[in-house]
């Protein structure tokens, strides 16, 4: 079935089809003529660096000073570098789109795509002493490396800027110099291949001398003049001065073909065309002035006339060609695209594509075409979706996706996830390929780089709006993009209030998570814009993020305020300890006195670590009550309370703590009195440290009644307490006469039950009986029982006609088994019951 659709740029290198894809044409400035320039391009649609070729005689326009100019793929200049660092040997791009420039003295400068210098380093060692003849920038798993070849023929490698240089083995002895060289990487290791006359020399780290491989060609030649490795470093191309081309594996153990180009001039470049659907390579592109030659493994060829000068850029799925007037990409034609659009294709996807076209035309033939692929409809749909990813033309993409949409309607329980996923990616790819963005990525490159890297590159190019929309479209976080946008505003907008307003407006969207004003505020602080940083910090709701930057900015009062408002005691503690290191102590005390929580926490810290500092802050605040407590604690710890009571009392007085001051005075008198009694002859045990109660009790036990009564008066001890102490001491000393006299001295303020109590405790029932008679009637039976005077208890209960007490007495008496008492109480109970 003949189908011709978007196949005008296809060409065949038997047995495979290849195609040329036209990308956005560069609009070079009028003063850029690539014929007299050196150009290096970053892979993955990255920037281009252009400098005047010093090896050519060029008519000078304007300044003769060397300048590296950096462009995107559409010819828009993004930056420039006024070159004044010395003789430039080579340039190349890193995997992070950084321009690496190697000088004759082995010095390496690194610039970003806007021409800003990022770092510089030296290859070092012998390479920095001997002049550099050639240099190459290469990629490996360890990063972007630099290899240099000195005038002495030595090769030095530096895997990345953080690693030391390595000197490769010496060349085998020969008077002939090498004519070409290439760096090969295997994982994290790299080695060098050099062409010298008719042999290839391999220099690998760890060997003492290089290994030689010869006799690779069957036809005669003089020397190898060009070596080129494939993008994945699995395949090798060798080119001789007689125009012979050798293709084979990188280890030179397998030869694919040997091809005579028929040209005697030296090619400009040789690059391998990597396959679109796997990591293999089947053909090379050779560029000559005004001529392009493509040769595959089967020694088949295809050729094209071109502009006088062209630059080849190896990609992971093709080769880009940049000229003065065009920008194209040569790819091996993806199989799915060939199945759909090839002439006389019998593939299911081709029939489905035609069926959809006829359906749009409302033709009955749609059903005929659909019937031809219905058994393989799912395969056809998947091929259409896959083919859409390889297309650069949006209209072709739409046609293929419409076909897939049409076809999936005939698949029961079809999962649309892959279809929707590819739709989103195609929209993103078309946006990236637009001339304003100028990143012509293929689908394979996009999936290899990952969306996060693509977003990073958009952000670095300051395409913030596009980056946010791409992130939304791919359902990725966008907060970090907004943060970078905010950084850009901080760096370029001088109006603090306006910047803060714009940032707030952008960040107030509740759907955006993970936004931190503190990160932006820190950037503002680093840029010397502390006022803006403070404004931004006020918008940050998390005190734990605010405080560290406020401390860094030495905004100590704001830091304390923020920490105390949060209520986080650990945060307040860390803030106080940090501020104390950086401020004068007096200023620190004045600062925290306005924040009660901070002040109390600081006091607690100092009470555990430094009482002297605690006294300083009390003194600063004129907190006499706390000063008194400070002196009191010190006196207790040092066992010098007596000598410090006057100082403590004065502090309490100044703090208007009258009660505490009086207590100090009373304590001083008490200690003095205790000391006086301790110095008396036969004073007995020391009373030092005893309370007023215990001191009076001790005096009464010693018989010093007058001293005890004087203490009662001086310290206003209540009569009830004094009577209790007097009763206890007399009973302890068995001074029953004095106890009886004391009971009759005046009416007892505590009644007479305490007298009974002490007598019972001393087991003196006789004395207890004297005082029971003076107790309240309702308590007499109880005390008679306590004193074991059961006979009197029965009489008392009988007189009071208290049946309850009689029954209780009866139970106790039965336990005693006293027959007389048992009969007496039985009679008493019977008589009372008879009277009822």
């Amino acid at each position: 079935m003949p189908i011709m659709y978007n196949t005008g740029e296809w060409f065949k290198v038997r047995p495979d089809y290849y195609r040329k894809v036209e990308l956005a044409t560069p609009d070079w400035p009028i003063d850029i003529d690539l014929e007299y320039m050196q150009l290096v391009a970053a892979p993955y649609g990255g920037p281009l660096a252009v400098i005047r070729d010093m090896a050519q005689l060029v008519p000078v326009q304007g300044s003769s000073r060397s300048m590296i100019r950096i462009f995107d793929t559409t010819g828009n200049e993004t930056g420039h570098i006024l070159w004044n660092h010395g003789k430039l040997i080579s340039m190349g791009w890193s995997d992070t789109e950084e321009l690496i420039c190697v000088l004759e003295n082995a010095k390496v400068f690194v610039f970003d795509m806007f021409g800003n210098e990022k770092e510089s380093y030296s290859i070092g060692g012998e390479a920095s002493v001997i002049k550099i003849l050639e240099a190459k920038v290469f990629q490996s798993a360890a990063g972007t490396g630099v290899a240099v070849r000195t005038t002495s023929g030595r090769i030095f490698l530096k895997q990345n800027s953080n690693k030391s240089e390595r000197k490769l083995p010496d060349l085998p002895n020969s008077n002939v110099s090498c004519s070409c060289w290439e760096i090969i990487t295997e994982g994290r290791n790299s080695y060098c291949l050099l062409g010298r006359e008719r042999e290839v020399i391999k220099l690998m780290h760890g060997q003492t001398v290089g290994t030689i491989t010869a006799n690779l060609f069957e036809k005669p030649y003089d020397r190898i003049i060009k070596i080129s490795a494939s993008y994945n470093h699995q395949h090798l191309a060798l080119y001789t001065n007689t125009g012979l081309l050798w293709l084979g594996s990188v280890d030179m153990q397998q030869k694919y073909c040997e091809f005579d180009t028929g040209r005697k001039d030296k090619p400009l470049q040789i690059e391998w065309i990597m396959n679109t659907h796997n990591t293999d390579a089947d053909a090379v592109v050779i560029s000559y002035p005004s001529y392009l030659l493509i040769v595959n493994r089967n020694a088949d060829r295809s050729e094209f006339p071109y502009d006088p000068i062209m630059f080849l850029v190896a990609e992971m799925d093709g080769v880009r060609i940049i000229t003065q007037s065009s920008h194209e990409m040569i790819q091996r034609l993806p199989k799915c695209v060939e199945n759909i659009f090839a002439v006389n294709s019998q593939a299911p996807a081709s029939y489905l594509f035609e069926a959809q076209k006829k359906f749009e035309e409302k033709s009955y033939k749609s059903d005929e075409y659909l019937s031809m692929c219905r058994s393989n409809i799912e395969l056809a749909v998947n091929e259409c979706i896959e083919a859409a990813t390889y297309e650069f033309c949006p209209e072709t993409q739409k046609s293929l996706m419409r076909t897939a949409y049409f076809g999936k309607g005939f698949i029961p329980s079809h999962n649309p996830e892959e279809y929707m996923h590819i739709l989103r990616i195609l929209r993103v790819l078309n946006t990236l390929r637009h001339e304003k963005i100028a990143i012509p990525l293929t689908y394979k490159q996009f999936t290899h780089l990952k969306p996060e890297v693509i977003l990073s590159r958009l952000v670095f190019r300051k395409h913030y709006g596009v980056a946010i929309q791409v992130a939304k479209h791919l359902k990725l976080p966008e907060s970090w993009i907004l943060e970078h946008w905010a950084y850009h505003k901080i760096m370029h907008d001088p109006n603090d209030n306006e910047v803060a307003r714009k940032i707030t407006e952008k960040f107030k969207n509740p759907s955006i998570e993970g936004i931190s004003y503190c990160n932006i505020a820190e950037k503002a602080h680093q840029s010397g814009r502390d006022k803006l940083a403070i404004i931004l910090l006020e918008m940050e709701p998390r005190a734990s993020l605010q405080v560290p930057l406020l401390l860094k900015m030495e905004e100590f009062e704001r830091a304390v305020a923020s920490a105390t408002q949060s209520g986080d005691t650990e945060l307040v503690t860390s803030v106080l300890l940090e501020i104390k290191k950086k401020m004068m102590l007096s200023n620190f005390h004045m600062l925290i006195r306005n924040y009660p929580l901070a002040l109390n926490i600081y006091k607690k810290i100092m009470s555990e670590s430094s009482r002297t500092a605690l006294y300083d802050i009390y003194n600063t605040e004129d907190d006499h009550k706390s000063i008194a407590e400070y002196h009191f604690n010190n006196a207790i710890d040092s066992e010098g309370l007596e000598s410090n009571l006057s100082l403590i009392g004065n502090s309490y007085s100044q703090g208007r703590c009258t009660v505490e001051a009086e207590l100090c005075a009373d304590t001083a008198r008490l200690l003095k009195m205790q000391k006086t009694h301790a110095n008396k002859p036969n004073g007995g045990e020391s009373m030092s440290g005893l309370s007023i109660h215990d001191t009076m009790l001790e005096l009464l036990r010693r018989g010093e009644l007058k001293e005890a009564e004087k203490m009662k008066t001086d310290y206003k001890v209540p009569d009830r307490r004094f009577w209790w102490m007097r009763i206890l001491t007399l009973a302890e000393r068995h001074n029953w006469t004095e106890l009886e006299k004391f009971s009759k001295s005046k009416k007892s303020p505590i009644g007479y039950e305490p007298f009974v109590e002490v007598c019972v405790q001393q087991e003196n029932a006789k004395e207890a009986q004297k005082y029971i008679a003076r107790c309240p009637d309702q308590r007499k039976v109880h005390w008679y029982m306590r004193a074991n005077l059961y006979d009197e208890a029965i009489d008392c209960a009988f007189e009071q006609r208290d049946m309850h007490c009689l029954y209780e007495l009866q139970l106790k008496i039965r336990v005693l088994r006293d027959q007389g008492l048992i009969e007496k109480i039985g009679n008493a109970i019977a008589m009372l019951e008879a009277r009822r």
Side-chain angles (χ1 to χ4, degrees):
M1 180 187 64
I3 295 179
M4 293 296 293
Y5 196 92
N6 202 32
T7 60
E9 293 297 328
W10 291 14
F11 60 92
K12 195 163 190 177
V13 186
R14 288 188 302 267
D16 302 314
Y17 278 103
Y18 289 80
R19 68 176 178 180
K20 285 198 296 182
V21 179
E22 187 174 343
L23 306 176
T25 303
D27 184 15
W28 300 106
I30 195 170
D31 59 336
I32 293 293
D33 186 350
L34 296 185
E35 187 174 356
Y36 304 106
M37 297 288 181
Q38 293 179 358
L39 181 147
V40 290
Y44 304 102
L48 318 173
V50 176
I51 189 172
R52 183 164 60 87
D53 190 350
M54 296 300 178
Q56 298 188 52
L57 295 176
V58 182
V60 177
Q61 298 178 3
S63 174
S64 60
R65 191 175 179 184
S66 294
M67 179 188 293
I68 300 175
R69 299 174 69 176
I70 302 173
F71 300 89
D72 62 21
T73 56
T74 61
N76 177 45
E77 187 168 357
T78 62
H80 62 269
I81 305 164
L82 293 174
W83 192 255
N84 54 8
H85 297 292
K87 186 177 179 180
L88 181 65
I89 297 297
S90 181
M91 296 188 300
W93 290 94
S94 73
D95 51 4
T96 55
E97 295 190 325
E98 294 172 338
L99 181 62
I100 299 176
C101 301
V102 186
L103 275 62
E104 186 181 40
N105 60 358
K107 190 83 171 179
V108 179
F109 287 88
V110 182
F111 303 87
D112 65 20
M113 64 178 294
F114 300 109
N116 303 312
E117 185 177 335
K118 296 189 68 175
E119 66 171 327
S120 62
Y121 58 90
S122 176
I123 301 297
E126 184 183 338
S128 60
V129 178
I130 306 172
K131 287 186 178 181
I132 302 301
L133 187 63
E134 290 182 282
K136 289 183 182 291
V137 177
F138 63 93
Q139 308 297 332
S140 72
T144 301
V146 176
V148 298
R149 187 159 73 96
T150 66
T151 53
S152 63
R154 302 304 302 273
I155 305 292
F156 294 87
L157 285 178
K158 194 175 181 72
Q159 291 287 110
N160 57 52
S161 60
N162 298 322
K163 291 194 174 182
S164 58
E165 75 283 352
R166 295 188 302 176
K167 182 171 70 172
L168 295 185
D170 295 334
L171 292 170
N173 292 331
S174 175
N175 296 324
V176 180
S177 61
C178 295
S179 54
C180 55
W181 63 305
E182 180 70 296
I183 300 298
I184 309 297
T185 62
E186 293 179 351
R188 303 182 68 87
N189 297 316
S190 302
Y191 61 90
C192 181
L193 294 179
L194 298 99
R196 188 176 66 180
E197 294 185 320
R198 290 183 293 277
E199 58 192 20
V200 177
I201 304 171
K202 180 179 180 180
L203 303 181
M204 180 174 284
H205 183 70
Q207 297 177 340
T208 55
V209 68
T211 57
I212 298 176
T213 303
N215 302 319
L216 292 172
F217 290 83
E218 296 177 358
K219 297 179 181 180
Y221 65 98
D222 295 328
R223 63 184 182 279
I224 299 170
I225 61 172
K226 206 81 172 174
I227 299 179
S228 177
S230 62
Y231 187 88
N232 62 355
H233 291 250
Q234 297 296 312
H235 311 284
L236 193 67
L238 307 176
Y239 194 90
T240 70
N241 64 319
T242 59
L244 290 178
L245 175 68
W246 183 92
L247 302 181
S249 60
V250 76
D251 58 6
M252 293 170 283
Q253 299 299 311
Q254 182 181 1
K255 176 180 176 181
Y256 304 152
C257 74
E258 184 177 320
F259 180 80
D260 188 354
T261 63
R263 299 184 65 95
K264 304 301 180 184
D265 51 339
K266 184 177 180 180
L268 300 173
Q269 284 179 268
I270 302 176
E271 296 293 349
W272 284 82
I273 303 175
M274 301 298 296
N275 291 346
T276 53
H277 58 280
N278 55 38
T279 58
D280 210 346
D282 294 317
V284 294
V285 180
I286 308 173
S287 63
Y288 303 89
S290 304
Y291 179 75
L292 192 74
L293 178 64
I294 300 171
V295 181
N296 70 358
R297 292 188 183 194
N298 299 323
D300 194 27
R301 65 186 290 168
S302 185
E303 54 192 39
F304 301 92
Y306 253 90
D307 289 358
I309 190 70
M310 69 192 82
F311 298 91
L312 306 183
V313 184
E315 297 283 2
M316 66 182 303
D317 53 353
V319 174
R320 283 192 292 137
I321 306 170
I322 301 171
T323 71
Q324 189 75 34
S325 58
S326 67
H327 185 192
E328 297 176 327
M329 186 173 190
I330 295 181
Q331 288 183 316
R332 180 175 172 181
L333 187 67
K335 190 65 179 174
C336 55
V337 176
E338 182 181 347
N339 287 343
I340 296 172
F341 298 127
V343 177
N344 295 324
S345 173
Q346 305 295 315
S350 180
Y351 289 121
L352 180 62
F353 185 82
E354 192 65 22
Q356 194 275 334
K357 284 174 60 181
K358 295 301 181 184
F359 179 78
E360 286 186 345
E361 296 171 4
K362 299 182 180 180
S363 171
Y364 69 92
K365 291 185 178 181
S366 174
D367 189 57
E368 293 179 7
Y369 285 119
L370 191 61
S371 64
M372 296 179 186
C373 63
R374 191 180 293 273
S375 60
N376 294 306
I377 189 73
E378 189 164 2
L379 173 64
V381 168
N382 291 337
E383 274 203 338
C384 287
I385 294 173
E386 184 184 2
T389 65
Y390 291 114
E391 291 298 326
F392 277 72
C393 175
E395 292 303 319
T396 307
Q397 294 171 359
K398 289 178 184 178
S399 296
L400 290 167
M401 294 306 285
R402 277 197 299 266
T403 301
Y405 184 79
F406 172 76
K408 69 187 182 70
F410 299 97
I411 304 174
S413 305
H414 181 266
N415 187 352
E417 284 297 320
E418 181 65 16
Y419 176 83
M420 297 304 298
H421 175 67
I422 295 299
L423 270 181
R424 286 193 291 267
I425 290 180
L426 286 175
R427 292 188 186 115
V428 172
L429 286 174
N430 290 335
T431 301
L432 296 174
R433 293 164 184 167
H434 191 275
E435 59 183 11
K436 290 186 178 179
I437 308 300
I439 307 178
L441 285 177
T442 64
Y443 174 76
K444 186 173 182 179
Q445 293 169 9
F446 180 87
T447 54
H448 175 75
L449 286 179
K450 306 297 182 188
E452 292 78 9
V453 175
I454 304 299
L455 288 174
S456 298
R457 294 190 175 187
L458 285 171
V459 167
F460 188 72
R461 288 165 168 80
K462 300 180 179 61
H463 295 306
Y464 299 110
V466 174
I468 289 173
Q469 293 304 316
V470 169
K472 286 180 178 178
H473 205 60
L474 298 178
K475 300 179 181 179
L476 296 172
E478 55 190 278
S479 56
W480 67 274
I481 302 173
L482 283 174
E483 287 189 8
H484 276 273
W485 167 81
Y487 298 160
H488 177 70
K489 281 292 178 188
I490 288 169
M491 299 300 293
H492 295 91
D493 193 334
N495 190 324
D496 290 344
N497 293 326
E498 187 65 16
V499 171
R501 183 187 65 80
K502 289 178 180 178
I503 290 174
T504 306
E505 286 181 358
K506 291 289 185 183
F507 284 18
K508 67 183 179 182
N509 188 345
S511 65
I512 301 174
E513 299 178 354
I515 289 292
S516 172
Y517 285 97
C518 288
N519 294 342
I520 304 159
E522 185 165 8
K523 194 74 173 181
H525 170 63
Q526 292 171 359
S527 303
R529 302 180 66 176
D530 285 357
K531 179 183 175 183
L532 175 59
I534 291 171
I535 295 173
L536 293 171
L537 278 175
E538 289 174 351
M539 302 172 192
E540 175 58 57
R542 293 164 290 185
S544 58
L545 300 180
Q546 278 185 351
V547 167
L549 183 56
L550 288 170
L551 292 175
K552 189 176 180 180
M553 296 167 61
E554 298 188 353
E555 292 287 337
F556 298 134
E557 186 163 1
R558 291 179 186 272
V560 174
S562 177
T564 52
Q565 286 172 10
S566 71
D568 187 342
T569 55
E570 291 186 5
L571 181 62
V572 176
T573 302
S574 63
V575 168
L576 293 176
L577 295 176
E578 185 67 24
I579 294 176
K580 188 183 177 186
K581 297 176 186 175
K582 299 179 180 179
M583 286 185 75
M584 290 181 60
L585 195 58
S586 57
N587 294 340
F588 173 67
H589 291 163
M590 293 298 291
L591 169 63
I592 64 174
R593 71 185 302 178
N594 298 321
Y595 302 94
L597 177 61
L599 182 61
N600 291 333
I601 290 175
Y602 178 70
K603 288 177 181 177
K604 186 175 185 301
I605 296 170
M606 292 301 102
S607 67
E608 296 172 355
S609 60
S610 173
R611 285 186 178 173
T612 304
L614 192 62
Y615 177 79
D616 291 340
I617 196 166
Y618 290 152
N619 199 33
T620 303
E621 296 175 340
D622 291 332
D623 187 353
H624 295 288
K625 180 174 181 289
S626 297
I627 290 174
E629 292 171 354
Y630 167 79
H631 289 312
F632 180 78
N633 290 327
N634 276 354
I636 293 296
D637 291 345
S638 61
E639 298 181 358
L641 179 61
E642 184 178 357
S643 59
N644 286 281
L645 278 173
S646 176
L647 178 63
I648 296 169
N650 288 337
S651 297
Y652 274 127
S653 297
Q654 291 177 21
R656 298 181 181 179
C657 300
T658 308
V659 174
E660 288 83 352
E662 289 177 356
L663 286 172
C664 288
D666 290 346
T667 304
R669 292 200 308 273
L670 177 63
L671 291 174
K672 184 177 179 181
M673 187 272 292
Q674 290 174 342
K675 192 173 182 180
T676 302
H677 278 277
N679 294 330
K680 285 183 178 181
N682 302 320
E685 293 183 4
S686 172
M687 292 186 288
S688 179
L690 296 181
S691 65
I692 293 173
H693 174 91
D694 292 340
T695 302
M696 290 178 64
L697 202 59
E698 185 64 28
L699 289 172
L700 290 171
R701 284 170 178 160
R702 294 182 183 184
E704 299 182 16
L705 180 59
K706 289 184 178 179
E707 288 292 337
E709 289 177 340
K710 184 176 183 303
M711 279 191 69
K712 172 183 176 297
T713 304
D714 290 345
Y715 296 104
K716 300 177 182 178
V717 177
D719 284 344
R720 292 175 61 83
R721 179 181 289 270
F722 182 77
W723 272 65
W724 257 111
M725 289 189 288
R726 182 83 171 116
I727 292 168
L728 285 171
T729 52
L730 288 172
E732 285 176 1
R733 294 164 60 193
H734 297 88
N735 195 344
W736 307 114
T737 304
E738 193 64 32
L739 180 63
E740 185 177 1
K741 188 187 295 184
F742 179 64
S743 69
K744 295 177 180 178
S745 61
K746 63 178 182 179
K747 186 178 179 180
S748 171
I750 57 175
Y752 294 95
E753 289 185 57
F755 287 86
V756 181
E757 176 72 30
V758 296
C759 292
V760 170
Q761 287 178 357
Q762 298 298 329
E763 299 180 356
N764 192 335
K766 182 179 179 181
E767 287 295 325
Q769 192 171 1
K770 295 178 182 179
Y771 303 107
I772 291 174
R774 300 169 72 176
C775 291
D777 290 341
Q778 65 271 22
R779 296 287 293 167
K780 286 180 180 179
V781 176
H782 168 75
W783 286 114
Y784 278 129
M785 291 171 64
R786 285 282 309 274
N788 296 326
L789 300 170
Y790 295 107
D791 206 0
E792 290 80 356
I794 294 170
D795 293 338
C796 182
F798 182 78
E799 289 175 8
Q800 295 178 6
R801 299 183 178 182
D802 189 343
M803 290 294 293
H804 176 75
C805 287
L806 286 171
Y807 284 129
E808 188 177 346
L809 277 167
Q810 188 179 37
L811 292 174
K812 286 187 175 292
I813 291 170
R814 283 176 181 173
V815 174
L816 295 174
R817 297 181 181 179
D818 189 328
Q819 194 62 36
L821 290 175
I822 291 172
E823 290 178 1
K824 183 176 182 178
I825 196 166
N827 293 333
I829 292 172
M831 289 173 67
L832 287 178
E833 287 179 346
R835 291 178 184 178
R836 287 184 176 182

